[in-house]
Amino acid sequence: KMFEVSSSTLDTLEQPLLRVPAEALKKAAKERKAVLDEAQQAIASALTPPEPGSSADKQADRLDALGHNLQGLKRKLGDVSRAEGAEAGRCKARLEHLQNLTLPKPSAVAWNKQRLDRLLVDHLNRSGYQQAASFLASSSNIEELVDSHIFKDAKKVIDALRRHDCSEALAWCAEQRPRLKKAKSKLEFQLRVQEFIELVRHKEKVQAIHYAREHLAPWASQYLQEFQRAVATLAFSPDTKCAVYRALFDPCHWGVLEQQFMQELYRMHSLPPKSQLLVHLQAGLSALKMPPTNIESCSREDPLHLPSFQALSKDLPYSKHVHSKLLCSVTRTMLSDANPPVVLPNGYVYSQQAVDMISEQHNGRMVCPKTGSSYALDELRRAFIV
């Protein structure tokens, strides 16, 4: 059965769809401004009056240097323009895609099919299956609606980290340094620490000391404790029995760096930190989850009888309750026959214990904690839970 989505719900669910290209356009606009400012400075410098007595050859060299600089700036502007064109095309395609949801219901079936394909492509990209994601995006004709280009550029960084090589990740950090600094990211520092640890692991201690002076020392003022702990590994071997330093040599740090890079990638491109397919699955499973005592006896038609879905719903709250439990907002005690709910004339409901406690403090009158309204006790009515 097809469901209808309100505009407010749609705005919440589809925010990343428009935010990603919009943020990329803002970034391209800043890059364009930086290139134009650089060109303006170069031209202003070239137009300053020549020094008295300077030769014609020297002035010609100045003009040649200006021409060379302007050619380089022209190439940069061309790259920025192409990036702006690509992101503007994505914005247009995505706006048209969202606009199609207002069409009659038969069209909504095709729209939801495309939306499901988008979620699948995003999940495949995040899971490292770029080829499968590219094939699905191409076969569904949704290339402009997905962000595969971001994951394609990130793949070489991930591949390098899996080879225990930080060079690609450090190059990415250099490109994104202003934004990473603004976000107070530790990724570059942690990459530097890992390279230092690898030098110590391979007993290249002289190179490690030089590396620490050049690449780790500038971070000492920000991360002094981590810096000191990393440098102290010079006195230890990878098989040390000291747990604090043995942990620094643990190869699992490469996996942690990979996860941290992906989180920074999502943040830099305004992508959600979690796969939206998993978010949607968990939203559905949260409506089905039951207490552990009933999971084994659930129907085979219930997705939660599958171990994979049970793992996905592990941290979700239970929604299937045999009996509802109502708590008083004042006393935090459960409402029951011994402590029944009492309704005030303004519609607010409290437990009998709360009414007794508050009325005792206010000379036999019930003062609503929410609104401050005061009522005589005979104005209150008991409520019954069916």
Side-chain angles (χ1 to χ4, degrees), residues 193-346:
V193 168
Q194 190 62 40
E195 286 201 322
F196 173 81
I197 293 295
E198 293 304 312
L199 290 172
V200 177
R201 188 198 306 277
H202 293 95
K203 299 181 180 179
E204 299 176 6
K205 294 192 175 182
V206 175
Q207 294 92 323
I209 292 170
H210 289 305
Y211 187 92
R213 287 174 177 168
E214 183 178 355
H215 297 295
L216 290 184
W219 297 92
S221 59
Q222 290 179 260
Y223 310 112
L224 180 60
Q225 189 175 1
E226 294 95 326
F227 168 75
Q228 291 174 332
R229 189 181 298 120
V231 173
T233 57
L234 288 166
F236 295 88
S237 61
D239 58 351
T240 178
K241 294 182 179 179
C242 183
V244 174
Y245 296 102
R246 187 173 66 248
L248 290 174
F249 289 104
D250 195 327
C252 74
H253 281 292
W254 288 103
V256 173
L257 286 174
E258 182 181 334
Q259 292 175 5
Q260 289 176 337
F261 166 73
M262 292 305 296
Q263 291 302 314
E264 293 298 341
L265 179 77
Y266 299 150
R267 182 160 55 177
M268 292 299 104
H269 292 281
S270 301
L271 286 164
K274 193 173 183 180
S275 165
Q276 292 300 287
L277 179 65
L278 293 183
V279 170
H280 283 69
L281 283 173
Q282 287 182 325
L285 291 173
S286 66
L288 300 173
K289 190 174 180 183
M290 63 184 72
T293 54
N294 297 328
I295 285 180
E296 295 180 359
S297 61
C298 68
S299 167
R300 293 187 62 83
E301 296 180 358
D302 190 333
L304 281 168
H305 87 279
L306 297 172
S308 56
F309 282 116
Q310 290 176 19
L312 189 59
S313 65
K314 181 181 178 182
D315 298 323
L316 299 177
Y318 298 123
S319 67
K320 291 185 177 181
H321 298 282
V322 178
H323 300 291
S324 296
K325 296 180 181 179
L326 302 179
L327 299 180
C328 174
S329 61
V330 175
T331 63
R332 310 306 299 171
T333 56
M334 190 170 65
L335 302 179
S336 64
D337 291 338
N339 183 31
V342 178
V343 183
L344 275 59
N346 62 2

Side-chain angles (χ1 to χ4, degrees), residues 18-249:
L18 294 178
R19 189 192 301 139
V20 173
E23 289 295 326
L25 278 173
K26 284 170 62 177
K27 180 184 174 184
K30 290 179 181 178
E31 290 176 353
R32 177 182 288 277
K33 183 179 182 302
V35 172
L36 291 175
D37 289 344
E38 188 179 347
Q40 186 178 10
Q41 290 175 2
I43 294 172
S45 175
L47 293 179
T48 55
E51 297 177 2
S54 60
S55 64
D57 290 341
K58 191 172 182 180
Q59 295 182 33
D61 290 341
R62 287 180 63 193
L63 291 175
D64 288 342
L66 174 62
H68 180 73
N69 287 339
L70 291 178
Q71 286 293 335
L73 293 173
K74 181 181 177 182
R75 285 192 294 273
K76 288 182 181 179
L77 280 175
D79 294 339
V80 172
S81 295
R82 283 188 289 274
E84 285 180 328
E87 298 301 338
R90 290 190 184 98
C91 277
K92 180 183 177 183
R94 296 177 187 202
L95 285 169
E96 291 173 350
H97 171 67
L98 292 177
Q99 191 176 18
N100 288 339
L101 190 56
T102 61
L103 296 176
K105 270 194 173 182
S107 301
V109 177
W111 190 92
N112 277 296
K113 172 65 168 63
Q114 277 194 327
R115 186 166 185 271
L116 177 58
D117 288 341
R118 283 196 291 112
L119 296 177
L120 288 169
V121 170
D122 175 72
H123 186 73
L124 288 170
N125 277 321
R126 289 169 186 262
S127 303
Y129 300 106
Q130 273 81 23
Q131 270 191 317
S134 177
F135 176 80
L136 177 57
S138 176
S139 60
S140 301
N141 195 28
I142 55 172
E143 290 96 333
E144 294 292 321
L145 305 180
V146 295
D147 301 301
S148 296
H149 61 291
I150 295 174
F151 295 94
K152 183 179 179 181
D153 295 338
K155 188 177 185 300
K156 59 182 180 181
V157 177
I158 295 298
D159 290 344
L161 288 174
R162 289 175 180 174
R163 296 194 305 268
H164 295 186
D165 177 10
C166 292
S167 58
E168 293 288 349
L170 287 169
W172 183 85
C173 287
E175 292 177 5
Q176 305 290 338
R177 186 166 289 130
R179 301 177 71 188
L180 290 171
K181 185 177 180 180
K182 185 177 180 181
K184 298 181 180 180
S185 169
K186 294 176 66 174
L187 177 61
E188 185 174 358
F189 171 69
Q190 289 168 330
L191 288 167
R192 293 294 185 187
V193 168
Q194 190 62 40
E195 286 201 322
F196 173 81
I197 293 295
E198 293 304 312
L199 290 172
V200 177
R201 188 198 306 277
H202 293 95
K203 299 181 180 179
E204 299 176 6
K205 294 192 175 182
V206 175
Q207 294 92 323
I209 292 170
H210 289 305
Y211 187 92
R213 287 174 177 168
E214 183 178 355
H215 297 295
L216 290 184
W219 297 92
S221 59
Q222 290 179 260
Y223 310 112
L224 180 60
Q225 189 175 1
E226 294 95 326
F227 168 75
Q228 291 174 332
R229 189 181 298 120
V231 173
T233 57
L234 288 166
F236 295 88
S237 61
D239 58 351
T240 178
K241 294 182 179 179
C242 183
V244 174
Y245 296 102
R246 187 173 66 248
L248 290 174
F249 289 104

